[in-house]
Amino acid sequence: MSGMSPEEFAKKIGAGLLSFPVTHFTDSDTFNGGAYREHIEWLLEFKPAGLFAAGGTGEFFSLTLDEFSAVVSAAVEQTNHRVPVVAGCGYGTAMAKQFARAGEAAGADGILLLPPYLLNADPAGLVAHVEAVCAATKLGVIFYNRDNAILNDVWLERLCARCPNLVGFKDGYGDIELMTRIYARMGDRLTYIGGLPTAETFALPYLEMGVTTYSSAIFNFLPQFAQDFYAAVRRRDHAVVYKELRDFVLPYIDIRNRHKGYAVSIVKAGMRAVGRPAGPVRTPLTDLDTSELDALAKLIAGRS
């Protein structure tokens, strides 16, 4: 079990770029713990501020509770307190509480609360859901604002008053006015994380709204590029940021957008391209086809 307080956790994850490791699977569709640990050790060489274990890029929704616990435990043991480990969490309230408790038992330092499965709910019901999950764990919780789980600044303020361990807000919605309202109302009560797909695209404008960090999936296969890009964002070097967007990030997004679900699939394809395969994605996701793999490999070769 982590000894890190929610406040300490929030401070640490806001201090630099965050990595979103994929979950490694064998060809027989089982968790490949050895390869996963090796990958995390490699990522740590590039100094991420925190690691998301079994999150969205880590295919949380394809994992059983036992697999989830194994993934988080492996991440915690391999990092050995060098950086905070954030465990994914989701589904309906009862299951989300189970995953939150399992993440805490596995030694995670915090929880990323993903949207509930399938349903669209009234904000009051969503607030009750978040409050119940926060009450189920002593860990710091990050609320992921996206898809069918969107809260405005007023509802978020109510949650923060009720849940001292709600310490983070990750935005995957992209409404600039809403993000501005949230930051204006909540200020430094929360740590703000960029969470739109391929977060590098939005990093510079989001920095102006108080979002000092984001989780990078590209970090999986081009960690030095990811850190260099983040450094350019933080120093507000527009020339470098837009050059890298033109030369790599936007062409990468063009491949990602060819099919649904490729936001995860393209990351595993990128790892294969750099000689660090993580196995296939699990259904209902699909892997890139040969032509898409070739296009991605050529793009990455220009950055390696």
Side-chain angles (χ1 to χ4, degrees):
M1 185 178 297
S2 171
M4 192 178 297
S5 71
E7 294 75 20
E8 182 183 5
F9 164 71
K11 184 176 180 180
K12 287 192 173 185
I13 61 170
L17 182 62
L18 303 169
S19 177
F20 227 140
V22 299
T23 298
H24 292 58
F25 299 121
T26 66
D27 289 338
S28 58
D29 201 34
T30 59
F31 173 50
N32 189 338
Y36 181 71
R37 287 171 177 268
E38 290 177 9
H39 182 55
I40 285 180
E41 190 60 40
W42 181 61
L43 295 179
L44 290 173
E45 295 177 15
F46 297 89
K47 310 298 183 184
L51 292 171
F52 287 84
T57 303
E59 298 180 70
F60 167 79
F61 287 105
S62 78
L63 301 174
T64 66
L65 184 59
D66 286 344
E67 288 176 324
F68 167 83
S69 294
V71 171
V72 177
S73 293
V76 169
E77 291 168 8
Q78 195 63 40
T79 58
N80 193 24
H81 307 294
R82 285 175 283 178
V83 298
V85 172
V86 190
C89 179
Y91 298 110
T93 304
M95 290 182 68
K97 288 162 64 177
Q98 284 185 321
F99 276 94
R101 290 170 180 145
E104 183 173 353
D109 300 292
I111 297 294
L112 174 65
L113 183 53
L114 298 155
Y117 173 71
L118 190 62
L119 297 174
N120 287 291
D122 187 82
L126 184 57
V127 164
H129 169 75
V130 178
E131 189 173 0
V133 175
C134 286
T137 178
K138 295 179 181 178
L139 299 181
V141 175
I142 302 166
F143 174 68
Y144 201 170
N145 203 59
R146 64 174 294 171
D147 297 319
N148 60 328
I150 308 297
L151 290 175
N152 65 21
D153 53 315
V154 176
W155 287 105
L156 190 62
E157 184 178 41
R158 294 179 190 179
L159 262 178
C160 286
R162 298 173 186 174
C163 306
N165 62 329
L166 179 62
V167 295
F169 179 85
K170 185 174 183 181
D171 183 61
Y173 186 44
D175 186 321
I176 292 176
E177 180 181 334
L178 176 58
M179 192 66 229
T180 301
R181 287 179 177 276
I182 287 170
Y183 188 79
R185 183 179 290 268
M186 302 308 304
D188 61 6
R189 168 63 178 81
L190 296 167
T191 292
Y192 303 91
I193 303 167
L196 288 156
T198 312
E200 282 82 0
T201 315
F202 307 89
L204 199 58
Y206 263 46
L207 181 63
E208 302 303 328
M209 294 186 288
V211 182
T212 59
T213 186
Y214 53 88
S215 53
S216 172
I218 292 173
F219 202 113
N220 275 282
F221 56 89
L222 288 178
Q224 191 58 61
F225 168 84
Q227 283 288 23
D228 291 345
F229 187 95
Y230 177 72
V233 169
R234 290 306 303 268
R235 67 176 182 265
R236 292 175 169 81
D237 191 334
H238 287 231
V240 169
V241 168
Y242 280 99
K243 179 182 185 303
E244 300 295 13
L245 286 172
R246 286 192 302 271
D247 292 351
F248 180 77
V249 177
L250 294 178
Y252 171 86
I253 290 173
D254 288 341
I255 299 171
R256 184 203 72 192
N257 288 346
R258 293 183 186 182
H259 292 283
K260 292 180 179 180
Y262 267 14
V264 176
S265 305
I266 195 172
V267 180
K268 283 196 167 178
M271 293 181 64
R272 186 182 305 177
V274 299
R276 293 179 173 273
V281 294
R282 279 182 168 174
T283 55
L285 298 179
T286 57
D287 289 301
L288 274 64
D289 66 27
T290 301
S291 65
E292 292 161 345
L293 277 170
D294 289 344
L296 180 63
K298 289 177 183 177
L299 185 62
I300 291 173
R303 311 304 315 174
S304 302

